[in-house]
Amino acid sequence: MLVKVNDKATSAFMQQIRRRLSILERPLGTARGEGKSYIYANFNPKYAQYALTILRTFYNFCLPYNSWDKVKATPAQRLGIADKQFTMKDIIYFK
């Protein structure tokens, strides 16, 4: 059982965060080497937390994926928390 343990799910979630949230983007080094440039990142911890909560909800309830048993389901469905795949409208309007 220990041989089959991996961190693919965690790694996939972290990649989604990196790809989808520019607010958490790392600073770029300037061409002259004078310091850091935050041209793409307008980091504010309050809004970063909001964005992470929205992305986590989307990832867990709206975004299905194929797993090892070839069943397309969301993580919430796999855990038994949800019985269907939700849309963003369902979540925003509490349907």
Side-chain angles (χ1 to χ4, degrees), residues 22-30 35-43:
S22 64
I23 196 168
L24 298 175
E25 191 169 344
R26 295 182 190 148
L28 302 172
T30 59
K36 303 281 183 189
S37 172
Y38 292 88
I39 189 166
Y40 297 112
N42 54 351
F43 183 73

Side-chain angles (χ1 to χ4, degrees), residues 26-82:
R26 295 182 190 148
L28 302 172
T30 59
R32 292 187 271 177
E34 295 175 348
K36 303 281 183 189
S37 172
Y38 292 88
I39 189 166
Y40 297 112
N42 54 351
F43 183 73
N44 183 338
K46 178 177 140 183
Y47 296 120
Q49 182 63 38
Y50 291 161
L52 281 171
T53 301
I54 292 168
L55 181 64
R56 185 176 60 236
T57 304
F58 174 75
Y59 185 81
N60 286 325
F61 291 95
C62 300
L63 190 64
Y65 66 95
N66 289 330
S67 66
W68 58 271
D69 57 354
K70 306 293 186 226
V71 175
K72 199 167 190 175
T74 64
Q77 286 175 310
R78 295 203 169 276
L79 290 173
I81 298 170

